[in-house]
Amino acid sequence: MLSLPITQKSGSKTFNLLFLAAVALVMLHGSATRLFGQATPLITEFGTSSGGIAPYGLAVADFNGDGIPDVVVINSYNDSGAIAVYLGNGDGTFKPPIFYLPNVSSRVAPTIVAADFNGDGKVDLCFADVFDAKIWVMLGNGDGTFRSPVSSPLVGSGAPIPQPVWIAVGDFNGDGKLDVVVSAQGIANASNPYPMLNGVLLLLGNGDGTFASSTVALSDYSSFGQIVTAHFKGDTNLDFAVLSNDGIYVAFGNGAGVFTTYDTISPPEYENPGAMVVADFNGDGYPDLAVVTPGSVNASEVFVFLGDDSPLAFGSGYLSTTLTGNSAGQPGTMVAGDFNGDGHIDLVIGNQEPPLVSLLQGNGDGTFQLPTSPGAQFPNGPATVVGMAAADLNGDLKPDIALVTTGSNSLTSILNTPGTVGAAIFPINFDFGAQVVGATPATTTITIGNPGTSAMQFSSLAVSDTTDFSVTTTCGSTVAPQAGCTISITFNPQATGAKSASVTFTTNDPLASTGKISITGSAIAPGASTSPAELQFSYQKVGTTSAPQTLQITDGGVGPLTLSAISIQGDFQQTNNCPASLAQGASCTVTITYSPLVPGSEVGRLLIMSNAVPPQSAVALTGIGYVVGPMISVSPSSFDFGSQYVGTSSAPSVVTVENTGDAPFTISSVAATAGFVPLSTCGNLVQPSFSCAIGIFFDPATTGSQTGTLTITDNLSSSPQTVALTGNGTAITVGASGDSSSAQTFSSGKAAYQMSIAPVAGFSGTVNLSCVGLAAGYTCALSQPSAVLNGSASASVTVSVTASTTTSAGTHGTPGSEAFGRIALACPIALIFLGAGIYPRWRRRFLAMGLLVVAAAFTSSCGSTAGTVGGGSSQTYVFFLQAQPASGITIETPLTLTVPNQ
């Protein structure tokens, strides 16, 4: 089992996979004799802390930062020192082991992973506890030592509790933190937790060496084992493949930590697989899967499933190579890489029976050549190979093999044999992963080495895609024997989408003069958008907390949005349900409250750090702290309008409403008692230190003293606020005085009316007088043009009517004229309504239009030369005494004039 240490370079997420999966991505060019050539493997006997030891597997990484690969071995029983760390000497040998005895159950799973789980640039260790169903992480100190392990449970749903079998790591939700997939036995079924289901669990990393609760990524009745990870569809979403007893299950991720589909692949001859590796065996740029299955003692089979761009990634079928003779047996572990320098991926298989290691040279099409020699033998007696990895153990720039065996209980180094001239490339393939368009470009370094004994010529460095990639080198024109140089590749995508290119150079390597490095990556443009764009909290009392408000963060761009931090400024607080990574188009919620510490206006910000460009976005937050609160002042508290003529409106009295506090209040209504009419300019909200005006009009409908109330309803505890209102409704009456009458007979060329103008409810003022509607041929004279009333005494006026000298009284129409028909209807109506003098205001307003019509009728009928009433010996005419106060309704009192016929 090979480790996956993570190193971040140039501010970008660049994964330097240490000889990825045992040189699964390494190409070594050189002479055909570059095979495992030493006569005897270098063997390091295991030491123990307390007796015997039973190795399970191993991982390779640089634990102490000296540039030399180190090895960690996991052993099956905890009481013998479950973890053993061997620091490399740089020549294929190792220092005595450092043993760790974690506080776990007596059994661990047979895999251990070396990677950076907390992002500090130091390699950590991860393994699984079988019986306690936990994942353990030992954080590295960077000097070859490790801290005490921390655990994360594999949560079971009912019974049974899942027992881990194999683990693998990768970033499945795109948040930059390593996650873990675990094959396990006994995963409970959601609908019935008790049947014995098996499957794969996913634990998303928290970035500190712990993991979130597990979810079921895959479940079945099959027995699951080894897991490998890769981008099988060629997209940016990480997938996994897991061995089972009835096939290989391939689960495809959606980039957000969810596996939506899976495929099952197996040939007819498939049974009881021994080991699985992932590599590009036919050079088409798509990951392939190789599985070795144990057959009989004399035969076993290697199957290669070729990846492609079909919907389920493996539509091209499979190829097989049958192993016989010395290479057959019971294979237990396998690594891939170009070990013989011909540019094709080879396989190294470790057998359990018979105990040997064999090299199968790849043909570049997914098939392999059978070994021509028995491979590496073990001098210390029977040994079963249980763990194997590839790395440059002696610094000669060629992949070697590190393996552990049971039986002899040893850590063994098998070193590659140098040729004369060669070009060693580490790694041969590199995936930049997801890179944000416009962000800081990602850079990786590829090592070019000359493991041979002669100088290597180097020239013609080029990259096929110069838009998104660029290359530089330190190699010069010549690379000395046993020396190396580097090629730096920069990924700076200009637009979204999947990207791929080839970096090529030429050498004088006799087997492969053209070196080739395949590079891939994906360009995304996530966008952190918020709704709403700002939040306003308005006024909040100091020392208290507001009601919460929420906003949504949405990935409105292309690719997953990694949320590295959500923070807040000012006297505001936030909680959120946002995951570390949002899938494209997904949203999460931030809940914000406001708790002011001091009074006054405040502006804060919600800050969102992500992998978008720009990396920081902000939401404006505003609020106003107060101490006292709203306070209302209403003045004056009362108002007397004095006297007002009925049916008219007074000049307004102004009531001032002022907010003397430090927070606003709201006014819901302004109303007044009948007879008083309010007109408010205050609106609904009154801010601190602001005032507004309410105008009050007195509009009496009846005479006499009247009281009322202006009521202001608000949201204060003292509501409602009131203002006392008083006023007096006044009027006048017009009628015949004393024994006089409003009906007179025309005699001796004249008629006289004695009229009285009287005040009602203390009316004071001048009343203008006039005659209207007098018949043609007659004139009217008043003893005085106006009457002055002092509130109590009446005023008298004489109305005199005389005939014109040119008009005879006997010529004023006849009862049979056309006007008589109109006057028969109009005059009685006018007499009924107008004779009352003063009416309630609602009746007067209702009759306003009617009076106009009646007056017009009287003018054209009752008071016209044709407007006579009656017949026979006399004619009767109607006209009006008009009394008009300076302010108020004009009163027209009807007067009748009877003219005898002559």
Side-chain angles (χ1 to χ4, degrees):
M1 179 69 187
L2 186 63
S3 63
L4 301 175
I6 298 177
T7 303
Q8 189 150 353
K9 299 182 179 182
S10 303
S12 63
K13 190 190 303 179
T14 301
F15 298 103
N16 182 9
L17 308 184
L18 180 61
F19 309 127
L20 181 62
V23 282
L25 301 180
V26 172
M27 178 176 71
L28 179 65
H29 297 302
S31 66
T33 60
R34 282 181 231 151
L35 304 174
F36 299 118
Q38 75 255 27
T40 302
L42 300 176
I43 298 177
T44 301
E45 297 294 341
F46 281 107
T48 64
S49 59
S50 59
I53 197 165
Y56 253 172
L58 81 166
V60 177
D62 182 6
F63 299 130
N64 58 356
D66 62 357
I68 300 172
D70 309 311
V71 174
V72 60
V73 177
I74 188 167
N75 300 287
S76 60
Y77 294 101
N78 188 38
D79 56 0
S80 299
I83 308 297
V85 176
Y86 295 82
L87 300 179
N89 294 316
D91 59 359
T93 64
F94 299 90
K95 294 178 175 60
I98 304 171
F99 288 98
Y100 293 87
L101 191 65
N103 185 23
V104 298
S105 69
S106 61
R107 193 66 178 265
V108 294
T111 54
I112 189 167
V113 176
D116 183 5
F117 290 94
N118 63 345
D120 63 355
K122 302 170 185 177
V123 181
D124 311 314
L125 300 177
C126 179
F127 58 95
D129 186 340
V130 174
F131 295 139
D132 284 348
K134 295 178 180 177
I135 298 296
W136 293 85
V137 172
M138 298 171 60
L139 298 178
N141 296 315
D143 58 359
T145 64
F146 296 87
R147 305 173 208 171
S148 298
V150 293
S151 66
S152 300
L154 293 175
V155 179
S157 176
I161 300 298
Q163 296 184 350
V165 177
W166 200 279
I167 63 175
V169 300
D171 184 5
F172 292 99
N173 62 348
D175 63 355
K177 303 170 185 176
L178 284 181
D179 313 313
V180 173
V181 282
V182 184
S183 62
Q185 310 296 335
I187 295 177
N189 189 335
S191 59
N192 182 359
Y194 297 102
M196 182 64 77
L197 279 175
N198 306 311
V200 177
L201 300 174
L202 169 67
L203 290 84
L204 297 178
N206 296 320
D208 59 359
T210 64
F211 301 92
S213 299
S214 62
T215 58
V216 178
L218 176 67
S219 63
D220 201 277
Y221 289 97
S222 298
S223 178
F224 291 105
Q226 183 184 357
I227 303 178
V228 295
T229 63
H231 298 274
F232 289 117
K233 287 188 177 182
D235 56 16
T236 60
N237 304 331
L238 189 61
D239 315 310
F240 71 81
V242 57
L243 281 179
S244 77
N245 58 354
D246 61 358
I248 304 170
Y249 288 76
V250 184
F252 301 104
N254 68 350
V258 177
F259 298 91
T260 55
T261 58
Y262 70 91
D263 188 17
T264 305
I265 53 178
S266 64
E269 303 88 348
Y270 180 95
E271 61 176 323
N272 299 322
M276 175 173 60
V277 294
V278 58
D280 184 6
F281 293 104
N282 61 350
D284 64 354
Y286 290 95
D288 308 317
L289 284 172
V291 179
V292 60
T293 62
S296 64
V297 174
N298 297 320
S300 55
E301 197 88 5
V302 174
F303 296 100
V304 174
F305 299 90
L306 299 177
D308 53 32
D309 59 356
S310 61
L312 292 178
F314 292 96
S316 300
Y318 66 92
L319 301 170
S320 65
T321 300
T322 301
L323 307 181
T324 58
N326 291 327
S327 62
Q330 300 293 315
T333 184
M334 179 170 58
V335 294
D338 185 3
F339 295 99
N340 65 347
D342 63 355
H344 305 315
I345 300 297
D346 311 315
L347 290 176
V348 174
I349 299 175
N351 277 1
Q352 297 177 348
E353 181 185 349
L356 54 82
V357 175
S358 300
L359 171 68
L360 278 69
Q361 300 179 50
N363 295 317
D365 59 0
T367 63
F368 302 91
Q369 303 175 29
L370 296 179
T372 57
S373 62
Q377 303 289 334
F378 298 92
N380 292 1
T384 297
V385 181
V386 292
M388 187 163 56
D392 180 11
L393 300 177
N394 61 350
D396 65 355
L397 304 177
K398 300 185 305 301
D400 308 311
I401 295 293
L403 56 87
V404 288
T405 57
T406 59
S408 61
N409 290 341
S410 60
L411 168 65
T412 301
S413 301
I414 304 178
L415 303 181
N416 213 333
T417 303
T420 55
V421 175
I425 308 173
F426 297 96
I428 188 173
N429 298 330
F430 189 81
D431 182 9
F432 282 94
Q435 175 71 12
V436 178
V437 175
T440 302
T443 300
T444 188
T445 299
I446 307 295
T447 300
I448 307 297
N450 178 11
T453 57
S454 302
M456 181 183 73
Q457 305 299 315
F458 182 91
S459 62
S460 305
L461 177 66
V463 61
S464 60
D465 176 2
T466 58
T467 300
D468 301 308
F469 299 93
S470 60
V471 295
T472 59
T473 183
T474 63
C475 290
S477 59
T478 320
V479 181
Q482 303 299 307
C485 57
T486 60
I487 294 175
S488 294
I489 305 174
T490 298
F491 181 34
N492 185 19
Q494 303 302 301
T496 58
K499 311 292 181 181
S500 62
S502 297
V503 176
T504 56
F505 58 89
T506 58
T507 69
N508 59 338
D509 189 327
L511 290 183
S513 60
T514 299
K516 179 181 178 181
I517 305 166
S518 297
I519 50 177
T520 56
S522 63
I524 61 176
S529 62
T530 60
S531 177
E534 65 177 32
L535 289 180
Q536 296 179 346
F537 283 87
S538 189
Y539 286 83
Q540 185 68 31
K541 189 172 184 179
V542 170
T544 65
T545 300
S546 71
Q549 296 190 47
T550 60
L551 62 83
Q552 302 292 315
I553 300 175
T554 302
D555 179 6
V558 177
L561 176 68
T562 300
L563 298 172
S564 55
I566 299 176
S567 60
I568 204 163
Q569 296 175 339
D571 294 340
F572 301 89
Q573 303 79 39
Q574 67 88 19
T575 58
N576 66 82
N577 65 353
C578 297
S581 180
L582 276 178
Q584 181 176 327
S587 299
C588 62
T589 301
V590 181
T591 301
I592 300 175
T593 56
Y594 175 44
S595 302
L597 299 177
V598 295
S601 298
E602 183 169 8
V603 177
R605 293 194 304 168
L606 179 73
L607 301 178
I608 304 165
M609 297 296 298
S610 68
N611 63 334
V613 177
Q616 178 176 288
S617 57
V619 178
L621 310 172
T622 58
I624 304 174
Y626 71 86
V627 176
V628 178
M631 299 180 66
I632 191 170
S633 171
V634 179
S635 62
S637 60
S638 63
F639 194 85
D640 184 3
F641 286 90
S643 295
Q644 182 68 31
Y645 196 82
V646 170
T648 64
S649 293
S650 69
S653 171
V654 176
V655 174
T656 301
V657 178
E658 184 178 3
N659 187 347
T660 59
D662 58 358
F665 61 80
T666 58
I667 295 177
S668 57
S669 68
V670 175
T673 307
F676 301 91
V677 179
L679 179 60
S680 174
T681 64
C682 289
N684 177 256
L685 188 69
V686 181
Q687 298 286 357
S689 302
F690 278 78
S691 61
C692 58
I694 301 175
I696 305 297
F697 298 83
F698 180 38
D699 191 3
T702 60
T703 60
S705 178
Q706 298 177 34
T707 61
T709 303
L710 172 67
T711 302
I712 305 169
T713 305
D714 51 58
N715 65 334
L716 301 178
S717 60
S718 60
S719 178
Q721 321 301 328
T722 60
V723 176
L725 307 174
T726 58
N728 183 47
T730 64
I732 62 172
T733 61
V734 180
S737 63
D739 296 332
S740 181
S741 173
S742 60
Q744 298 293 327
T745 300
F746 193 77
S747 177
S748 301
K750 63 179 181 179
Y753 303 82
Q754 300 299 318
M755 303 299 293
S756 174
I757 314 299
V760 178
F763 176 83
S764 295
T766 300
V767 179
N768 296 318
L769 304 171
S770 61
C771 292
V772 295
L774 194 62
Y778 298 91
T779 60
C780 175
L782 301 175
S783 59
Q784 55 188 28
S786 61
V788 178
L789 302 179
N790 60 8
S792 58
S794 300
S796 297
V797 63
T798 300
V799 180
S800 298
V801 178
T802 60
S804 301
T805 57
T806 58
T807 304
S808 171
T811 62
H812 297 300
T814 63
S817 66
E818 180 183 352
F820 183 80
R822 296 200 304 267
I823 198 61
L825 177 61
C827 290
I829 294 176
L831 291 174
I832 292 171
F833 285 104
L834 297 177
I838 300 299
Y839 304 97
R841 187 181 57 172
W842 66 272
R843 293 179 63 188
R844 185 180 300 105
R845 291 174 177 172
F846 173 78
L847 295 174
M849 289 300 293
L851 287 173
L852 294 176
V853 173
V854 172
F858 277 121
T859 300
S860 62
S861 300
C862 299
S864 69
T865 57
T868 62
V869 179
S873 60
S874 65
Q875 294 181 1
T876 300
Y877 300 90
V878 178
F879 68 101
F880 299 92
L881 172 62
Q882 188 178 74
Q884 184 176 18
S887 175
I889 295 176
T890 298
I891 296 177
E892 293 182 340
T893 302
L895 303 177
T896 60
L897 176 65
T898 300
V899 180
N901 286 331
Q902 297 179 4

